[in-house]
Amino acid sequence: MRVLVIGSGAREHALLLALSKDPQVEALTVAPGNAGTGALAQQRDVDITSGPAVVALARDVGADLVVIGPEVPLVLGVADALRAAGIACFGPSKDAARIEGSKAFAKDVMSAAGVRTAVSEIVDNPGHLDAALDRFGPAVGQQAWVVKDDGLAAGKGVVVTADRAVARSHAAGLLDGGHPVLLESFLDGPEVSLFCVVDGATVVPLLPAQDFKRVGDGDAGPNTGGMGAYTPLPWLPDDVLARIVGEIVEPVAAEMVRRGSAFSGLLYAGLAITSTGPAVVEFNCRFGDPETQAVLALLDSPLGQLLYAAATGSLADVGPLQWQDGSAVAVVIAAENYPGRPRLGDVITGAEKAGVLHAGTERRADGAVVSSGGRVLSVVGTGADLAAARAAAYETVGAVRLPGSHFRTDIGLAAAQGRIQL
């Protein structure tokens, strides 16, 4: 099987690494890739938002399967173009990708499926903003206002704050930019990311993970695209995981089939485990970053065969997935000033070490690896338990040098210390 992976981040690096271990995968191509992915795959340039361009590349490399990493090409219908050309694709159709591309659409699907989620309201007129804010947040006994961009925001369009002025400023900025705003009730409890490979009504869950969106230790500072993750979750009982699959993911998948928008690909449920049970924070239509880096580090089953089964309608024939024992932790090393405008072009040393996955990197003409984005590297450690996995990850982080960079020191710490309770 020849596989083409679309994307350039640490998520795609992790996908390539896992695919390279599948005995049925004989050739890998990545487009456009980064400074680290060239060790695993042929690298090609392509406009990832153009269906015709991706189809042409897939034909040129003789791809039997195309795996689309980022959400933007999925929301724009690149998977549809590939399927129309007779090329197997892991990733949902444009219609199904609305589960991430439109939060209003996702809320409608959840309502029809009877799935618990936050109470929400769409605001598309600045004149209605203040009255809407008064119906949410601390003004009505909630811990915080939750303000979201209704469309795609790369993980950074969300503000959760107890300060009304901050909530209003973020919402007003979105409205001024022509983006409808989604206000939600605050969901208490620890968050869980659950990836499920989905083929219509068939759902195969991966290991649950928890990611860290805030930039600083102790969940301080603004939201980012994700500063780290760990898996599995020692504090999450098996029966709660079963409820998430049976009461949330499977009903949503079935509802998508019922309305003619059957989902095929990776359905990512972001959840809060509240005092009254699991509830949905959001759905995404692709592998999440940085959780993918941790989850795939423990996967023993052949990834290429799993994704190909979903892409060709035979996921129901796949047996139970096999996982390594132990835990995995992913720590993101970010460029100076991220999540603001990052400093770029700094030389990185230590980026070739085992466990280091590249994201915002490129290779200069002189061969040096330099930073080219906000989240520059993901460092993955594994171990017999969460404490050992943390130790392994941070040992490698300490061997990487990037001027001005920063990272969180507390990824998975509360769970390792038994401080997360349901």
Side-chain angles (χ1 to χ4, degrees), residues 293-361:
Q293 292 89 291
V295 170
L296 292 187
L298 297 181
L299 180 66
D300 264 347
S301 293
L303 180 64
Q305 295 169 53
L306 174 65
L307 303 188
Y308 187 78
T312 55
S314 57
L315 184 63
D317 299 330
V318 173
L321 298 184
Q322 302 299 312
W323 299 94
Q324 297 175 31
D325 292 334
S327 297
V329 171
V331 179
V332 170
I333 299 177
E336 182 175 343
N337 200 44
Y338 178 81
R341 184 187 295 270
R343 187 170 115 180
L344 308 178
D346 287 309
V347 174
I348 307 164
T349 57
E352 75 290 344
K353 292 184 177 296
V356 178
L357 302 175
H358 289 232
T361 67

Short mmCIF file of all heavy atoms in Angstrom, two decimals, residues 293-361:
data_model
loop_
_atom_site.label_atom_id
_atom_site.label_comp_id
_atom_site.label_asym_id
_atom_site.label_seq_id
_atom_site.Cartn_x
_atom_site.Cartn_y
_atom_site.Cartn_z
N GLN A 293 0.03 12.76 18.86
CA GLN A 293 1.43 12.39 19.09
C GLN A 293 1.56 11.42 20.26
O GLN A 293 2.39 10.51 20.23
CB GLN A 293 2.27 13.64 19.35
CG GLN A 293 2.42 14.55 18.14
CD GLN A 293 1.34 15.59 18.00
OE1 GLN A 293 0.20 15.26 17.71
NE2 GLN A 293 1.68 16.86 18.18
N ALA A 294 0.73 11.60 21.28
CA ALA A 294 0.77 10.70 22.44
C ALA A 294 0.03 9.40 22.14
O ALA A 294 0.54 8.30 22.41
CB ALA A 294 0.17 11.39 23.65
N VAL A 295 -1.17 9.49 21.58
CA VAL A 295 -1.99 8.29 21.37
C VAL A 295 -1.31 7.31 20.42
O VAL A 295 -1.24 6.10 20.69
CB VAL A 295 -3.38 8.70 20.84
CG1 VAL A 295 -4.17 7.47 20.39
CG2 VAL A 295 -4.16 9.44 21.93
N LEU A 296 -0.80 7.79 19.29
CA LEU A 296 -0.22 6.88 18.31
C LEU A 296 1.09 6.27 18.80
O LEU A 296 1.51 5.22 18.31
CB LEU A 296 0.00 7.60 16.98
CG LEU A 296 -1.27 8.00 16.21
CD1 LEU A 296 -0.91 8.55 14.85
CD2 LEU A 296 -2.24 6.82 16.08
N ALA A 297 1.72 6.89 19.80
CA ALA A 297 2.95 6.33 20.35
C ALA A 297 2.70 4.99 21.03
O ALA A 297 3.63 4.19 21.19
CB ALA A 297 3.58 7.30 21.35
N LEU A 298 1.45 4.71 21.42
CA LEU A 298 1.12 3.47 22.12
C LEU A 298 0.37 2.47 21.24
O LEU A 298 0.05 1.37 21.70
CB LEU A 298 0.29 3.77 23.37
CG LEU A 298 0.96 4.61 24.45
CD1 LEU A 298 0.01 4.81 25.63
CD2 LEU A 298 2.26 3.97 24.92
N LEU A 299 0.09 2.83 19.99
CA LEU A 299 -0.70 1.94 19.12
C LEU A 299 0.17 0.80 18.58
O LEU A 299 1.21 1.03 17.97
CB LEU A 299 -1.28 2.73 17.95
CG LEU A 299 -2.13 1.93 16.96
CD1 LEU A 299 -3.41 1.42 17.64
CD2 LEU A 299 -2.48 2.78 15.73
N ASP A 300 -0.28 -0.43 18.80
CA ASP A 300 0.41 -1.61 18.27
C ASP A 300 -0.24 -2.11 16.98
O ASP A 300 0.42 -2.73 16.15
CB ASP A 300 0.44 -2.74 19.30
CG ASP A 300 1.74 -2.77 20.09
OD1 ASP A 300 2.71 -2.10 19.67
OD2 ASP A 300 1.79 -3.46 21.12
N SER A 301 -1.53 -1.89 16.82
CA SER A 301 -2.21 -2.33 15.60
C SER A 301 -1.67 -1.56 14.40
O SER A 301 -1.27 -0.40 14.53
CB SER A 301 -3.72 -2.09 15.73
OG SER A 301 -4.28 -2.92 16.71
N PRO A 302 -1.67 -2.16 13.20
CA PRO A 302 -1.16 -1.48 12.02
C PRO A 302 -2.07 -0.33 11.58
O PRO A 302 -3.22 -0.54 11.21
CB PRO A 302 -1.10 -2.59 10.96
CG PRO A 302 -2.05 -3.64 11.44
CD PRO A 302 -2.06 -3.56 12.92
N LEU A 303 -1.54 0.89 11.65
CA LEU A 303 -2.36 2.07 11.40
C LEU A 303 -2.84 2.15 9.95
O LEU A 303 -3.99 2.52 9.69
CB LEU A 303 -1.58 3.34 11.76
CG LEU A 303 -2.33 4.66 11.55
CD1 LEU A 303 -3.54 4.74 12.48
CD2 LEU A 303 -1.40 5.85 11.76
N GLY A 304 -1.98 1.83 9.00
CA GLY A 304 -2.37 1.93 7.60
C GLY A 304 -3.57 1.06 7.29
O GLY A 304 -4.51 1.48 6.59
N GLN A 305 -3.55 -0.16 7.81
CA GLN A 305 -4.67 -1.07 7.56
C GLN A 305 -5.96 -0.58 8.22
O GLN A 305 -7.05 -0.72 7.67
CB GLN A 305 -4.30 -2.46 8.05
CG GLN A 305 -3.14 -3.07 7.27
CD GLN A 305 -2.59 -4.33 7.90
OE1 GLN A 305 -3.35 -5.27 8.18
NE2 GLN A 305 -1.29 -4.37 8.15
N LEU A 306 -5.84 0.01 9.41
CA LEU A 306 -7.00 0.56 10.09
C LEU A 306 -7.62 1.71 9.29
O LEU A 306 -8.84 1.75 9.06
CB LEU A 306 -6.60 1.06 11.49
CG LEU A 306 -7.67 1.80 12.28
CD1 LEU A 306 -8.83 0.88 12.63
CD2 LEU A 306 -7.06 2.41 13.55
N LEU A 307 -6.79 2.66 8.86
CA LEU A 307 -7.30 3.82 8.13
C LEU A 307 -7.85 3.41 6.75
O LEU A 307 -8.85 3.97 6.29
CB LEU A 307 -6.20 4.88 7.98
CG LEU A 307 -5.57 5.38 9.28
CD1 LEU A 307 -4.65 6.57 9.00
CD2 LEU A 307 -6.61 5.74 10.32
N TYR A 308 -7.19 2.45 6.11
CA TYR A 308 -7.67 1.98 4.80
C TYR A 308 -9.03 1.30 4.94
O TYR A 308 -9.92 1.46 4.09
CB TYR A 308 -6.66 1.03 4.17
CG TYR A 308 -6.99 0.64 2.76
CD1 TYR A 308 -6.74 1.51 1.70
CD2 TYR A 308 -7.57 -0.60 2.47
CE1 TYR A 308 -7.05 1.16 0.39
CE2 TYR A 308 -7.88 -0.97 1.17
CZ TYR A 308 -7.62 -0.08 0.13
OH TYR A 308 -7.94 -0.43 -1.17
N ALA A 309 -9.22 0.55 6.03
CA ALA A 309 -10.51 -0.11 6.25
C ALA A 309 -11.63 0.92 6.38
O ALA A 309 -12.71 0.76 5.80
CB ALA A 309 -10.44 -0.99 7.50
N ALA A 310 -11.36 1.99 7.13
CA ALA A 310 -12.37 3.04 7.27
C ALA A 310 -12.63 3.72 5.94
O ALA A 310 -13.78 4.04 5.59
CB ALA A 310 -11.91 4.06 8.31
N ALA A 311 -11.57 3.96 5.16
CA ALA A 311 -11.70 4.67 3.90
C ALA A 311 -12.43 3.85 2.84
O ALA A 311 -13.00 4.42 1.90
CB ALA A 311 -10.32 5.08 3.38
N THR A 312 -12.43 2.53 2.99
CA THR A 312 -13.04 1.67 1.97
C THR A 312 -14.30 0.97 2.47
O THR A 312 -14.79 0.03 1.83
CB THR A 312 -12.02 0.60 1.51
OG1 THR A 312 -11.53 -0.12 2.64
CG2 THR A 312 -10.85 1.27 0.78
N GLY A 313 -14.83 1.42 3.60
CA GLY A 313 -16.12 0.91 4.07
C GLY A 313 -16.07 -0.45 4.72
O GLY A 313 -17.09 -1.14 4.81
N SER A 314 -14.89 -0.87 5.21
CA SER A 314 -14.78 -2.21 5.82
C SER A 314 -14.32 -2.14 7.27
O SER A 314 -13.74 -3.11 7.78
CB SER A 314 -13.83 -3.08 4.99
OG SER A 314 -12.56 -2.48 4.87
N LEU A 315 -14.56 -1.03 7.95
CA LEU A 315 -14.12 -0.89 9.32
C LEU A 315 -14.75 -1.92 10.24
O LEU A 315 -14.13 -2.35 11.22
CB LEU A 315 -14.43 0.53 9.83
CG LEU A 315 -13.94 0.88 11.22
CD1 LEU A 315 -12.42 0.82 11.30
CD2 LEU A 315 -14.42 2.28 11.63
N ALA A 316 -15.97 -2.34 9.94
CA ALA A 316 -16.65 -3.32 10.78
C ALA A 316 -15.91 -4.65 10.83
O ALA A 316 -16.12 -5.46 11.75
CB ALA A 316 -18.08 -3.53 10.28
N ASP A 317 -15.02 -4.90 9.86
CA ASP A 317 -14.28 -6.16 9.81
C ASP A 317 -12.98 -6.11 10.62
O ASP A 317 -12.28 -7.12 10.74
CB ASP A 317 -13.94 -6.51 8.36
CG ASP A 317 -15.19 -6.70 7.51
OD1 ASP A 317 -16.22 -7.12 8.07
OD2 ASP A 317 -15.13 -6.41 6.30
N VAL A 318 -12.64 -4.93 11.15
CA VAL A 318 -11.41 -4.78 11.91
C VAL A 318 -11.63 -5.28 13.34
O VAL A 318 -12.61 -4.93 13.99
CB VAL A 318 -10.96 -3.30 11.94
CG1 VAL A 318 -9.77 -3.10 12.88
CG2 VAL A 318 -10.60 -2.83 10.53
N GLY A 319 -10.73 -6.10 13.82
CA GLY A 319 -10.86 -6.62 15.18
C GLY A 319 -10.46 -5.60 16.21
O GLY A 319 -10.14 -4.44 15.89
N PRO A 320 -10.45 -5.97 17.49
CA PRO A 320 -10.07 -5.04 18.56
C PRO A 320 -8.65 -4.51 18.36
O PRO A 320 -7.75 -5.25 17.94
CB PRO A 320 -10.16 -5.90 19.83
CG PRO A 320 -11.08 -7.03 19.46
CD PRO A 320 -10.86 -7.29 18.01
N LEU A 321 -8.46 -3.25 18.65
CA LEU A 321 -7.14 -2.64 18.50
C LEU A 321 -6.21 -3.11 19.61
O LEU A 321 -6.65 -3.39 20.73
CB LEU A 321 -7.25 -1.12 18.53
CG LEU A 321 -8.09 -0.47 17.42
CD1 LEU A 321 -8.03 1.05 17.53
CD2 LEU A 321 -7.62 -0.92 16.04
N GLN A 322 -4.93 -3.18 19.29
CA GLN A 322 -3.91 -3.61 20.24
C GLN A 322 -3.07 -2.40 20.65
O GLN A 322 -2.66 -1.60 19.81
CB GLN A 322 -3.01 -4.67 19.63
CG GLN A 322 -3.76 -5.91 19.15
CD GLN A 322 -4.49 -6.62 20.28
OE1 GLN A 322 -3.91 -6.87 21.34
NE2 GLN A 322 -5.77 -6.92 20.06
N TRP A 323 -2.82 -2.29 21.97
CA TRP A 323 -2.09 -1.15 22.51
C TRP A 323 -0.93 -1.61 23.38
O TRP A 323 -1.02 -2.64 24.03
CB TRP A 323 -3.02 -0.26 23.36
CG TRP A 323 -4.17 0.30 22.57
CD1 TRP A 323 -5.42 -0.23 22.45
CD2 TRP A 323 -4.15 1.48 21.81
NE1 TRP A 323 -6.18 0.55 21.65
CE2 TRP A 323 -5.44 1.62 21.23
CE3 TRP A 323 -3.20 2.46 21.54
CZ2 TRP A 323 -5.78 2.69 20.41
CZ3 TRP A 323 -3.52 3.53 20.72
CH2 TRP A 323 -4.80 3.64 20.16
N GLN A 324 0.13 -0.84 23.38
CA GLN A 324 1.23 -1.09 24.31
C GLN A 324 0.77 -0.76 25.73
O GLN A 324 -0.07 0.13 25.94
CB GLN A 324 2.43 -0.20 23.97
CG GLN A 324 3.05 -0.43 22.62
CD GLN A 324 4.15 0.56 22.33
OE1 GLN A 324 4.82 1.04 23.24
NE2 GLN A 324 4.33 0.89 21.05
N ASP A 325 1.32 -1.46 26.70
CA ASP A 325 1.08 -1.10 28.09
C ASP A 325 1.81 0.21 28.40
O ASP A 325 2.75 0.60 27.72
CB ASP A 325 1.59 -2.20 29.01
CG ASP A 325 0.79 -3.48 28.89
OD1 ASP A 325 -0.39 -3.41 28.52
OD2 ASP A 325 1.37 -4.56 29.14
N GLY A 326 1.36 0.87 29.46
CA GLY A 326 2.05 2.08 29.90
C GLY A 326 1.38 3.35 29.44
O GLY A 326 0.19 3.36 29.08
N SER A 327 2.15 4.44 29.46
CA SER A 327 1.62 5.77 29.19
C SER A 327 2.51 6.49 28.19
O SER A 327 3.66 6.11 27.96
CB SER A 327 1.56 6.59 30.49
OG SER A 327 0.68 6.02 31.43
N ALA A 328 1.94 7.54 27.61
CA ALA A 328 2.70 8.41 26.70
C ALA A 328 2.37 9.86 27.02
O ALA A 328 1.22 10.20 27.34
CB ALA A 328 2.38 8.10 25.24
N VAL A 329 3.38 10.71 26.93
CA VAL A 329 3.23 12.15 27.18
C VAL A 329 3.86 12.90 26.01
O VAL A 329 4.96 12.56 25.57
CB VAL A 329 3.93 12.55 28.50
CG1 VAL A 329 3.97 14.07 28.66
CG2 VAL A 329 3.22 11.92 29.69
N ALA A 330 3.16 13.91 25.52
CA ALA A 330 3.68 14.79 24.47
C ALA A 330 3.79 16.20 25.02
O ALA A 330 2.81 16.73 25.57
CB ALA A 330 2.77 14.77 23.24
N VAL A 331 4.95 16.82 24.87
CA VAL A 331 5.20 18.18 25.34
C VAL A 331 5.55 19.05 24.13
O VAL A 331 6.46 18.71 23.37
CB VAL A 331 6.36 18.22 26.36
CG1 VAL A 331 6.61 19.65 26.82
CG2 VAL A 331 6.06 17.31 27.55
N VAL A 332 4.85 20.14 23.98
CA VAL A 332 5.08 21.04 22.85
C VAL A 332 6.12 22.09 23.23
O VAL A 332 6.02 22.73 24.27
CB VAL A 332 3.78 21.73 22.41
CG1 VAL A 332 4.04 22.85 21.41
CG2 VAL A 332 2.82 20.71 21.81
N ILE A 333 7.11 22.24 22.37
CA ILE A 333 8.08 23.33 22.49
C ILE A 333 7.66 24.42 21.51
O ILE A 333 7.57 24.17 20.30
CB ILE A 333 9.51 22.86 22.18
CG1 ILE A 333 9.93 21.77 23.18
CG2 ILE A 333 10.49 24.03 22.21
CD1 ILE A 333 11.31 21.19 22.91
N ALA A 334 7.36 25.60 22.04
CA ALA A 334 6.82 26.69 21.22
C ALA A 334 7.84 27.81 21.05
O ALA A 334 8.73 28.00 21.89
CB ALA A 334 5.55 27.25 21.87
N ALA A 335 7.70 28.55 19.98
CA ALA A 335 8.60 29.66 19.68
C ALA A 335 8.32 30.84 20.61
O ALA A 335 7.23 30.99 21.17
CB ALA A 335 8.43 30.10 18.23
N GLU A 336 9.32 31.68 20.77
CA GLU A 336 9.17 32.90 21.57
C GLU A 336 7.95 33.70 21.09
O GLU A 336 7.72 33.87 19.90
CB GLU A 336 10.42 33.76 21.45
CG GLU A 336 10.38 35.02 22.29
CD GLU A 336 11.67 35.81 22.25
OE1 GLU A 336 12.72 35.23 21.86
OE2 GLU A 336 11.66 36.98 22.62
N ASN A 337 7.14 34.14 22.06
CA ASN A 337 5.96 34.99 21.86
C ASN A 337 4.71 34.23 21.43
O ASN A 337 3.63 34.81 21.36
CB ASN A 337 6.23 36.11 20.85
CG ASN A 337 5.24 37.24 20.99
OD1 ASN A 337 4.93 37.67 22.10
ND2 ASN A 337 4.69 37.73 19.88
N TYR A 338 4.80 32.91 21.15
CA TYR A 338 3.60 32.14 20.85
C TYR A 338 2.71 32.09 22.10
O TYR A 338 3.22 31.96 23.20
CB TYR A 338 3.97 30.71 20.44
CG TYR A 338 2.79 29.82 20.16
CD1 TYR A 338 2.14 29.88 18.94
CD2 TYR A 338 2.31 28.94 21.13
CE1 TYR A 338 1.03 29.06 18.69
CE2 TYR A 338 1.21 28.12 20.87
CZ TYR A 338 0.59 28.20 19.66
OH TYR A 338 -0.50 27.40 19.41
N PRO A 339 1.37 32.25 21.98
CA PRO A 339 0.54 32.20 20.79
C PRO A 339 0.36 33.53 20.05
O PRO A 339 -0.51 33.63 19.18
CB PRO A 339 -0.80 31.70 21.32
CG PRO A 339 -0.86 32.27 22.70
CD PRO A 339 0.56 32.24 23.21
N GLY A 340 1.12 34.56 20.42
CA GLY A 340 1.15 35.76 19.60
C GLY A 340 1.99 35.52 18.36
O GLY A 340 2.28 34.38 17.99
N ARG A 341 2.43 36.57 17.70
CA ARG A 341 3.25 36.43 16.50
C ARG A 341 4.59 35.82 16.89
O ARG A 341 5.38 36.43 17.61
CB ARG A 341 3.45 37.79 15.84
CG ARG A 341 4.23 37.71 14.51
CD ARG A 341 4.53 39.11 14.02
NE ARG A 341 3.31 39.82 13.69
CZ ARG A 341 2.73 39.81 12.49
NH1 ARG A 341 3.28 39.12 11.51
NH2 ARG A 341 1.63 40.49 12.26
N PRO A 342 4.87 34.58 16.45
CA PRO A 342 6.08 33.90 16.93
C PRO A 342 7.35 34.42 16.26
O PRO A 342 7.33 34.89 15.12
CB PRO A 342 5.84 32.44 16.55
CG PRO A 342 4.96 32.53 15.33
CD PRO A 342 4.08 33.73 15.54
N ARG A 343 8.45 34.30 16.99
CA ARG A 343 9.75 34.58 16.40
C ARG A 343 10.15 33.39 15.55
O ARG A 343 10.06 32.25 15.99
CB ARG A 343 10.77 34.79 17.52
CG ARG A 343 12.14 35.26 17.04
CD ARG A 343 12.97 35.67 18.23
NE ARG A 343 14.12 34.79 18.39
CZ ARG A 343 15.02 34.94 19.37
NH1 ARG A 343 14.87 35.89 20.27
NH2 ARG A 343 16.04 34.11 19.45
N LEU A 344 10.61 33.64 14.32
CA LEU A 344 10.91 32.57 13.37
C LEU A 344 12.38 32.60 12.97
O LEU A 344 13.07 33.59 13.17
CB LEU A 344 10.03 32.72 12.12
CG LEU A 344 8.52 32.85 12.33
CD1 LEU A 344 7.81 33.03 11.00
CD2 LEU A 344 7.97 31.64 13.07
N GLY A 345 12.83 31.51 12.39
CA GLY A 345 14.15 31.46 11.79
C GLY A 345 15.28 31.10 12.72
O GLY A 345 16.45 31.16 12.31
N ASP A 346 14.99 30.72 13.97
CA ASP A 346 16.06 30.36 14.90
C ASP A 346 16.52 28.92 14.67
O ASP A 346 15.70 28.02 14.42
CB ASP A 346 15.57 30.50 16.35
CG ASP A 346 15.44 31.96 16.77
OD1 ASP A 346 16.41 32.71 16.58
OD2 ASP A 346 14.37 32.33 17.27
N VAL A 347 17.81 28.71 14.79
CA VAL A 347 18.38 27.37 14.61
C VAL A 347 18.03 26.49 15.82
O VAL A 347 18.12 26.93 16.97
CB VAL A 347 19.90 27.45 14.44
CG1 VAL A 347 20.52 26.05 14.40
CG2 VAL A 347 20.25 28.21 13.16
N ILE A 348 17.62 25.26 15.53
CA ILE A 348 17.26 24.29 16.55
C ILE A 348 18.34 23.22 16.62
O ILE A 348 18.76 22.69 15.59
CB ILE A 348 15.92 23.61 16.21
CG1 ILE A 348 14.82 24.64 15.94
CG2 ILE A 348 15.49 22.67 17.33
CD1 ILE A 348 13.61 24.06 15.23
N THR A 349 18.76 22.88 17.82
CA THR A 349 19.67 21.75 18.00
C THR A 349 18.97 20.69 18.84
O THR A 349 18.15 21.01 19.70
CB THR A 349 20.99 22.17 18.68
OG1 THR A 349 20.70 22.77 19.95
CG2 THR A 349 21.75 23.15 17.82
N GLY A 350 19.28 19.43 18.56
CA GLY A 350 18.65 18.33 19.27
C GLY A 350 17.36 17.85 18.64
O GLY A 350 16.71 16.93 19.16
N ALA A 351 16.96 18.45 17.51
CA ALA A 351 15.67 18.11 16.90
C ALA A 351 15.66 16.75 16.24
O ALA A 351 14.61 16.26 15.84
CB ALA A 351 15.28 19.19 15.88
N GLU A 352 16.84 16.12 16.11
CA GLU A 352 16.91 14.80 15.47
C GLU A 352 16.78 13.66 16.47
O GLU A 352 16.77 12.49 16.10
CB GLU A 352 18.24 14.66 14.72
CG GLU A 352 19.45 14.42 15.60
CD GLU A 352 19.88 15.61 16.45
OE1 GLU A 352 19.43 16.75 16.17
OE2 GLU A 352 20.67 15.41 17.40
N LYS A 353 16.66 13.98 17.75
CA LYS A 353 16.62 12.93 18.78
C LYS A 353 15.35 12.10 18.69
O LYS A 353 14.29 12.59 18.27
CB LYS A 353 16.74 13.58 20.16
CG LYS A 353 18.11 14.19 20.42
CD LYS A 353 18.22 14.72 21.83
CE LYS A 353 19.62 15.26 22.08
NZ LYS A 353 20.64 14.17 22.00
N ALA A 354 15.43 10.86 19.13
CA ALA A 354 14.27 9.98 19.16
C ALA A 354 13.18 10.59 20.04
O ALA A 354 13.46 11.12 21.11
CB ALA A 354 14.66 8.61 19.69
N GLY A 355 11.95 10.51 19.57
CA GLY A 355 10.83 11.08 20.31
C GLY A 355 10.51 12.51 19.97
O GLY A 355 9.51 13.04 20.44
N VAL A 356 11.33 13.17 19.14
CA VAL A 356 11.08 14.55 18.75
C VAL A 356 10.35 14.57 17.41
O VAL A 356 10.87 14.09 16.40
CB VAL A 356 12.39 15.36 18.65
CG1 VAL A 356 12.09 16.79 18.19
CG2 VAL A 356 13.11 15.36 19.99
N LEU A 357 9.14 15.10 17.42
CA LEU A 357 8.33 15.23 16.21
C LEU A 357 8.29 16.69 15.80
O LEU A 357 8.10 17.58 16.63
CB LEU A 357 6.92 14.71 16.47
CG LEU A 357 6.82 13.25 16.92
CD1 LEU A 357 5.38 12.89 17.25
CD2 LEU A 357 7.38 12.31 15.87
N HIS A 358 8.45 16.93 14.51
CA HIS A 358 8.55 18.29 14.01
C HIS A 358 7.18 18.85 13.64
O HIS A 358 6.30 18.13 13.17
CB HIS A 358 9.45 18.33 12.78
CG HIS A 358 10.89 18.10 13.07
ND1 HIS A 358 11.89 18.94 12.63
CD2 HIS A 358 11.52 17.13 13.78
CE1 HIS A 358 13.07 18.49 13.04
NE2 HIS A 358 12.87 17.38 13.74
N ALA A 359 7.02 20.15 13.85
CA ALA A 359 5.80 20.85 13.46
C ALA A 359 6.18 22.08 12.65
O ALA A 359 6.22 22.06 11.43
CB ALA A 359 4.97 21.21 14.69
N GLY A 360 6.51 23.18 13.35
CA GLY A 360 6.90 24.41 12.67
C GLY A 360 8.39 24.45 12.43
O GLY A 360 9.10 25.24 13.07
N THR A 361 8.88 23.61 11.51
CA THR A 361 10.31 23.59 11.20
C THR A 361 10.52 23.57 9.69
O THR A 361 9.65 23.12 8.93
CB THR A 361 11.01 22.35 11.78
OG1 THR A 361 10.51 21.17 11.12
CG2 THR A 361 10.80 22.24 13.28
#
